[in-house]
Amino acid sequence: MTVQEKIEMVQLRGTLCESGIISLLNDKYAEWAMISFEDEYFVTYSVLDSYADICYYEDIESFENELRARTYCLNLPTDLNGEVYE
């Protein structure tokens, strides 16, 4: 199963817990979501172009509990060298 197929499956079958946008350098941003699915928590994120319809990168991480998933979400802006867009 590819990363894109796994992301689509989790997004379609899971329950959205939380989501957000991170502002990045060079006219890019990241959309992320924390999803609960089959007793696991998944965090997905995509790095996108602010002006063109381009996806530079997609990833999904799985966690056994909600606390670890939330911690990953809180650290995501630092890991991507960006700022939370509010």
Side-chain angles (χ1 to χ4, degrees):
M1 181 179 293
T2 67
V3 172
Q4 285 181 324
E5 291 171 341
K6 180 80 170 184
I7 290 171
E8 286 181 28
M9 182 190 69
V10 169
Q11 287 176 336
L12 291 174
R13 296 183 182 172
T15 303
L16 179 66
C17 300
E18 196 172 336
S19 65
I21 297 174
I22 301 167
S23 176
L24 303 174
L25 301 173
N26 299 325
D27 296 324
K28 296 177 187 160
Y29 68 98
E31 292 181 346
W32 65 270
M34 185 173 78
I35 301 166
S36 170
F37 177 63
E38 293 184 348
D39 297 328
E40 284 189 80
Y41 289 87
F42 294 88
V43 177
T44 66
Y45 70 93
S46 302
V47 177
L48 307 161
D49 192 285
S50 295
Y51 299 104
D53 189 20
I54 300 171
C55 179
Y56 295 101
Y57 184 77
E58 281 185 302
D59 200 10
I60 184 168
E61 298 288 336
S62 64
F63 301 91
E64 294 177 0
N65 63 53
E66 184 178 1
L67 180 60
R68 288 181 187 213
R70 287 196 184 277
T71 302
Y72 184 83
C73 291
L74 289 173
N75 290 326
L76 200 53
T78 303
D79 294 345
L80 296 175
N81 196 26
E83 296 178 5
V84 175
Y85 182 79
E86 295 184 35

